[in-house]
Amino acid sequence: MAALPPVALLAVAVASGAATAQLAGDWLPPALPVVAGLAALIHVCVRPGSLSAVLGAAFLAGLSGAWLSTGGGPCAQPAEEGTAVVVSGRFLAPTSGRGAPLAITGAPCRGRTVYVVTRDPVEAGLPVSVRGRWRTGSRGGGLLFASDIEAGEDEDEGLRWSLVRWRGHLVGRLERMYGPRAPLVAALTLARREGLDPELREAFVRVGIAHLLAISGFHVGVVAGVLHALLRLGPLSRRGAGLAASVGTWGYVGFLGFPDAAFRAALILLAVALSRARGRPPARWGALASALLVLTLLGPHRLLAPGFQLSFAGAAGLVAWSAGLRERLQASPLRRLGMGFTHAAAAGLAATAGTLPVVAWHFERVSLVGIPVTLLASPVVALALPGALASLVADAVHPGVGAFLAGGVDVLLGVLEVGTRWLARPDWASVWVPRSWVAITAVAALLGARTAWRAGVRRRVRRGVGLAWAVAAVVAWPLLVSLQSRDVLEIVAVDVGQGDALAIRTPRGRWLLVDAGPPDRFEGAGHPVVRALRRRGVTRVETLVLTHPDLDHIGGAAAVLDAFDVGSVLDPSLPAGKESYVSLLETAQARGVPWRRARAGQAWEVDGVTLRVLHPVAEPRVDRGSAGAADTEANDVSVVIWVRYGAFDALLTGDVPVEVERTVARELRGGIEVLKVAHHGSDTSTDSLLLVRADPSLALISVGRGNRYGHPHPDVLARLHRAGVEVRRTDQEGTLRVRARRDGRFTVMVERRAGR
């Protein structure tokens, strides 16, 4: 840190304080005196001097400034989870039948952006009033599921909203010029990713080139390079052309609405160009720190955004390691591939190393093919980006010329899309990395660096010791986790909103799934069950149990069949004419997945875990309506499964009513550790007789926040309370994980919400 310029230390101190304010939330006011006291103690006892005093003051300034800018706390949501709200604002992009970001222009979150999920087509930039239900996003952002959108009061648009509307019209022109490829072109040129195919976005993530879909320093650098080459055709010198090109990029960045990564890149380009114009070597750390300081002061809330962190982490990696890596590559046999390759490889390695911990922390996945794929994809994007921008300009002058250029760009992007999808298909393309691994590796690296930081120790030795600690943590921690998971059964109640989804992990790491929740309403993010399983590295589901054909239990099954290798499907085989159920049957048949009928008495064992079907006991009774659909008896034939692992027992009851519970209770003799409460806590289930016969220790209720059914019913909660049963709910805590041992002992852990 001593080698960093003062502005870098100042920027880090201010940003650290602002980030602390965002994380502390309501804990900040009582904790502020403690923080101030610790800062004073460090100043006096650890590192006395003017520099530490300035950095301490900068930290406190960032802390208090971020707190005051949020009006006394982080404005993460305008209301309690699941409640109905009305928000006024303007869409930053056309909704395109899925949704789009909405910039809030009214209280209480003026200036913040939330994502509105809607199928109504709405133009960008127009004032609107949105009524809907609030949800918290997967990484803290806001989701508003709109039920009604009304045009707001007609106001003077101003330059910002005129540009937003213009960008919206350009998206429409791209749809005319590029057809199905338009969403990809819009992402690469206009920073609009709302209409992008979710599977394609997931493929970009798996192969480690998701950064190419967001306007970042790479895109700004390409635009600056094209402008520099064009300006060099005139009388300007190299330095003059560089300065003019850096200024010209601000027009492009401003047209996009000053996204964080592009804004940061434009600031750095301008600082470097000014340094070179004055004949001085560019202060890269100073330029990066200045951009961090400016963006922090403009909006402290952006510090916790993954895109913001990835942008600066990648830039920091380039500044810190690209030069050294380039020298090493040029001294190796790889220099035979040319200077262009060594420069690109060094930049890719440095940026990947910088972003690796951030990617692993936020997305819990690390691509194993990211660097080589980046080297292959970057030249394609570098050619396609200016070509796409040129096609937009040409289309405004002469549509024929624009169509000609669009044809060439379409070929390039077709190669990029097909190659990305093909490379993302192998399971080994990316690996699951739990957050615990990221945290322990970071701590080990810091401890290693602290241990090696001694006077007289060479820099190479310091780096080697730090790397050794990190590698030891990477190797040792998975072994510890594996040892900890040995002989442990896990039952994960996935937070899917108003529905059921229970994932079961056997002691040897095989997975079963009981129900798959409702359909994914927030298209583009991936179904929460699929995300939950992928975060755990699941590639195969041995058995998918669908307790009954209601949509809140089978809605996500198609996504599971698409995402994983499924051994078999087990359900009551109720002859339901529902379109979703028939479509699911066709999907399973197309993938060659066996479909089995569940009946009482069936039992099977997986890695020492016995699963026994207690219901249905006979052929389902069908009451056919006018359409011939068996809708009214679905809950009566819900599959009930008794899970037994040594002395541990769990009863999974689907949506069975009281009459079925009383039949099932005859099989029980008490000692059930975990009861999955039937029908989300409805008063049609959870009979007192069942509670007496099962005598559960823990009740899991899978239920949606703010649901319109009033689940769980107060009478059910009262019965559970009188029986002395501990109640845990997904609407209050999110995803819940039960870890059980063979002797019957178990623990319950709360995971982060799935982002509904």
Side-chain angles (χ1 to χ4, degrees):
M1 293 294 290
L4 294 177
V7 67
L9 297 175
L10 181 67
V12 170
V14 172
S16 300
T20 301
Q22 299 294 311
L23 293 170
D26 295 335
W27 291 93
L28 185 57
L32 194 57
V34 178
V35 173
L38 289 175
L41 182 63
I42 293 173
H43 169 60
V44 173
C45 301
V46 179
R47 192 177 180 183
S50 59
L51 179 60
S52 61
V54 170
L55 295 181
F59 176 85
L60 292 177
L63 190 76
S64 57
W67 176 257
L68 293 174
S69 70
T70 57
C75 187
Q77 57 186 43
E80 293 183 3
E81 189 82 13
T83 57
V85 296
V86 178
V87 177
S88 60
R90 296 175 186 251
F91 282 103
L92 297 176
T95 57
S96 301
R98 287 184 177 179
L102 178 82
I104 300 177
T105 56
C109 293
R110 185 186 305 273
R112 298 302 173 87
T113 301
V114 297
Y115 196 96
V116 177
V117 181
T118 177
R119 296 189 181 276
D120 296 332
V122 183
E123 290 187 37
L126 297 177
V128 294
S129 177
V130 181
R131 183 186 303 273
R133 291 190 175 272
W134 191 265
R135 295 290 185 267
T136 300
S138 57
R139 284 177 285 279
L143 300 178
L144 184 60
F145 290 87
S147 58
D148 184 48
I149 299 178
E150 298 179 356
E153 297 182 3
D154 191 13
E155 303 172 355
D156 183 21
E157 290 187 351
L159 178 60
R160 178 190 181 187
W161 302 115
S162 296
L163 290 176
V164 169
R165 294 195 68 185
W166 189 14
R167 290 200 301 269
H169 292 313
L170 289 180
V171 171
R173 286 173 55 190
L174 289 176
E175 292 176 355
R176 174 174 55 82
M177 296 169 62
Y178 289 92
R181 205 90 63 192
L184 180 57
V185 181
L188 293 174
T189 57
L190 302 177
R192 296 269 60 97
R193 293 179 290 171
E194 291 76 26
L196 201 60
D197 179 12
E199 293 185 0
L200 179 60
R201 186 182 303 184
E202 175 68 17
F204 271 76
V205 172
R206 286 181 58 82
V207 300
I209 57 173
H211 60 281
L212 296 179
L213 293 176
I215 301 296
S216 62
F218 172 80
H219 302 73
V220 174
V222 170
V223 172
V226 172
L227 289 177
H228 184 271
L230 294 175
L231 291 170
R232 285 289 291 155
L233 298 176
L236 290 178
S237 64
R238 183 181 297 273
R239 292 180 180 176
L243 183 59
S246 65
V247 173
T249 56
W250 281 98
Y252 176 61
V253 174
F255 172 70
L256 296 177
F258 297 102
D260 291 340
F263 186 77
R264 182 263 307 162
L267 277 175
I268 294 175
L269 277 174
L270 182 60
V272 171
L274 287 172
S275 298
R276 287 177 173 169
R278 297 173 61 186
R280 297 181 179 179
R284 300 181 185 276
W285 279 117
L288 181 61
S290 298
L292 175 61
L293 186 60
V294 169
L295 286 171
T296 301
L297 295 175
L298 290 176
H301 61 276
R302 57 169 48 98
L303 287 168
L304 301 184
F308 183 88
Q309 295 174 12
L310 287 170
S311 172
F312 276 91
L318 286 171
V319 173
W321 301 310
S322 62
L325 288 172
R326 187 166 58 247
E327 292 177 359
R328 286 174 171 79
L329 289 175
Q330 289 176 349
S332 71
L334 293 176
R335 66 179 183 275
R336 298 174 182 174
L337 298 177
M339 185 173 295
F341 172 82
T342 57
H343 281 230
L349 285 168
T352 301
T355 58
L356 187 62
V358 182
V359 170
W361 178 262
H362 285 291
F363 302 103
E364 296 183 283
R365 295 201 73 84
V366 172
S367 174
L368 299 182
V369 296
I371 294 176
V373 174
T374 299
L375 294 177
L376 294 173
S378 295
V380 177
V381 176
L383 291 173
L385 175 59
L389 292 174
S391 69
L392 276 173
V393 175
D395 182 71
V397 179
H398 192 288
V401 177
F404 175 77
L405 293 175
V409 173
D410 188 72
V411 172
L412 289 173
L413 295 182
V415 172
L416 176 66
E417 180 177 343
V418 172
T420 300
R421 291 183 186 273
W422 181 75
L423 291 170
R425 291 168 68 181
D427 294 334
W428 50 264
S430 63
V431 295
W432 173 55
V433 181
R435 283 189 169 187
S436 57
W437 294 11
V438 182
I440 198 65
T441 302
V443 170
L446 291 174
L447 289 175
R450 182 68 183 87
T451 303
W453 197 267
R454 294 288 187 273
V457 179
R458 295 181 179 179
R459 181 175 297 180
R460 290 184 178 180
V461 176
R462 293 174 182 170
R463 292 176 178 173
V465 172
L467 181 62
W469 275 70
V471 170
V474 170
V475 174
W477 187 250
L479 292 177
L480 293 175
V481 172
S482 176
L483 291 174
Q484 185 185 21
S485 299
R486 182 178 296 179
D487 298 329
V488 172
L489 170 71
E490 289 189 6
I491 300 177
V492 182
V494 182
D495 178 18
V496 293
Q498 185 66 13
D500 270 6
L502 296 171
I504 302 174
R505 180 190 180 277
T506 71
R508 294 187 181 179
R510 290 199 276 188
W511 289 87
L512 304 94
L513 184 63
V514 180
D515 288 326
D520 184 22
R521 295 181 63 192
F522 184 33
E523 298 181 12
H527 196 278
V529 173
V530 174
R531 297 204 310 270
L533 293 177
R534 279 180 171 166
R535 281 201 302 270
R536 291 165 172 81
V538 178
T539 58
R540 175 179 169 83
V541 174
E542 301 298 330
T543 303
L544 170 59
V545 180
L546 301 176
T547 58
H548 61 292
D550 280 352
L551 201 58
D552 59 335
H553 292 252
I554 70 169
V560 172
L561 290 172
D562 288 338
F564 306 105
D565 177 21
V566 177
S568 63
V569 177
L570 181 71
D571 89 322
S573 295
L574 177 69
K578 300 177 181 179
E579 182 180 352
S580 57
Y581 184 72
V582 174
S583 175
L584 192 60
L585 288 170
E586 294 173 347
T587 300
Q589 183 179 15
R591 284 163 174 72
V593 179
W595 199 286
R596 299 188 290 124
R597 183 177 61 176
R599 290 294 178 266
Q602 293 175 339
W604 70 101
E605 182 177 319
V606 184
D607 299 337
V609 179
T610 301
L611 299 101
R612 180 184 173 192
V613 178
L614 301 183
H615 189 76
V617 296
E619 293 302 316
R621 178 168 55 91
V622 179
D623 287 349
R624 297 188 181 275
S626 59
D631 293 340
T632 59
E633 301 300 324
N635 290 347
D636 290 355
V637 295
S638 285
V639 178
V640 178
I641 294 183
W642 187 349
V643 180
R644 171 167 287 181
Y645 177 55
F648 174 84
D649 296 275
L651 188 64
L652 314 181
T653 56
D655 278 1
V656 293
V658 169
E659 293 78 12
V660 175
E661 287 183 340
R662 291 173 179 172
T663 302
V664 170
R666 300 170 187 168
E667 302 284 336
L668 307 177
R669 297 293 184 271
I672 297 291
E673 277 69 32
V674 176
L675 169 68
K676 201 289 295 183
V677 173
H679 206 179
H680 323 291
S682 168
D683 60 353
T684 62
S685 306
T686 318
D687 184 50
S688 296
L689 177 62
L690 175 70
L691 295 179
V692 170
R693 300 286 300 211
D695 189 22
S697 302
L698 172 70
L700 293 177
I701 303 180
S702 181
V703 61
R705 294 178 282 278
N707 66 86
R708 67 178 185 270
Y709 308 103
H711 296 162
H713 197 277
D715 291 346
V716 172
L717 296 176
R719 287 197 291 270
L720 291 169
H721 177 72
R722 288 195 299 268
V725 183
E726 179 186 2
V727 177
R728 307 296 290 268
R729 298 163 47 175
T730 59
D731 63 330
Q732 294 181 343
E733 301 181 87
T735 297
L736 299 167
R737 180 169 58 144
V738 178
R739 292 174 53 86
R741 297 191 177 276
R742 187 179 289 275
D743 59 7
R745 294 179 299 163
F746 68 92
T747 57
V748 185
M749 304 175 64
V750 178
E751 298 189 357
R752 60 178 179 152
R753 286 181 173 175
R756 303 307 305 157

